[in-house]
Amino acid sequence: MIYLIIVKTKVIAKTDANNVIPTIKEFVATDSIMVTDEHNAYNKLHLDYTHKRVNHREKEYVRREDIVIHTNSIEGFWNILKKQINGIHHSVSPKHLQRYCDESAFRYNHRKALQDERFADALANCEGSLKWKELTRKNG
């Protein structure tokens, strides 16, 4: 069986169950296997998903069952995003954070594509233009 990892991002106010669970339900099909760490926000995922955990507090990072259980892929993505924000952009405003997250997810999801394929996909997904005035508007 081949497992496909696609990253989608959504900026949320707080990483508690009230914000995390609805966001997961928005993005992830209920027949999916959810692999997480031991963060409390994931405690009720077993109600809607097959939920597998690795316990980093107990120095567990990977486990073999019928599949390999780990969070290395998503942790790698978050590492890349943080380095992109700190190393390239140096800081981002909350107003534009979702745009930066979307860009990083696009790069991650197309990491195995050739440069010209990635460029063509980026252009194909453009929706008009973003005017400077709209970009810099205070309440938008």
Side-chain angles (χ1 to χ4, degrees):
M1 182 177 262
I2 297 175
Y3 295 95
L4 181 62
I5 297 169
I6 302 286
V7 171
K8 292 183 179 184
T9 62
K10 180 178 178 180
V11 176
I12 59 176
K14 191 175 179 184
T15 58
D16 61 6
N18 292 332
N19 288 294
V20 171
I21 299 297
T23 303
I24 290 171
K25 288 181 178 182
E26 179 183 342
F27 287 141
V28 182
T30 54
D31 61 344
S32 300
I33 299 171
M34 289 294 302
V35 178
T36 70
D37 61 15
E38 70 280 3
H39 184 32
N40 289 335
Y42 306 129
N43 284 347
K44 293 186 179 179
L45 278 178
H46 70 279
L47 299 174
D48 297 301
Y49 299 93
T50 300
H51 184 205
K52 308 282 186 175
R53 284 183 188 233
V54 290
N55 191 336
H56 293 157
R57 289 184 192 131
E58 299 294 324
K59 305 292 185 213
E60 179 186 43
Y61 299 99
V62 65
R63 181 175 68 252
R64 288 195 180 273
E65 292 183 2
D66 47 331
I67 61 171
V68 178
I69 309 298
H70 66 81
T71 57
N72 296 343
S73 302
I74 194 62
E75 288 176 12
F77 167 76
W78 290 123
N79 188 306
I80 291 167
L81 175 62
K82 289 174 187 176
K83 285 183 179 183
Q84 178 182 340
I85 289 172
N86 294 328
I88 297 170
H89 306 299
H90 305 296
S91 69
V92 299
S93 69
K95 175 181 176 181
H96 298 293
L97 180 57
Q98 186 64 56
R99 286 187 171 104
Y100 289 102
C101 291
D102 291 344
E103 175 195 0
S104 192
F106 177 85
R107 290 174 182 271
Y108 186 85
N109 292 335
H110 291 81
R111 66 192 177 282
K112 294 184 179 178
L114 298 174
Q115 185 172 349
D116 57 336
E117 294 170 334
R118 193 170 35 250
F119 182 70
D121 283 346
L123 288 179
N125 288 301
C126 288
E127 296 175 3
S129 60
L130 178 62
K131 305 287 186 215
W132 177 256
K133 196 173 197 175
E134 182 183 341
L135 179 68
T136 58
R137 187 175 57 220
K138 293 262 187 224
N139 297 327

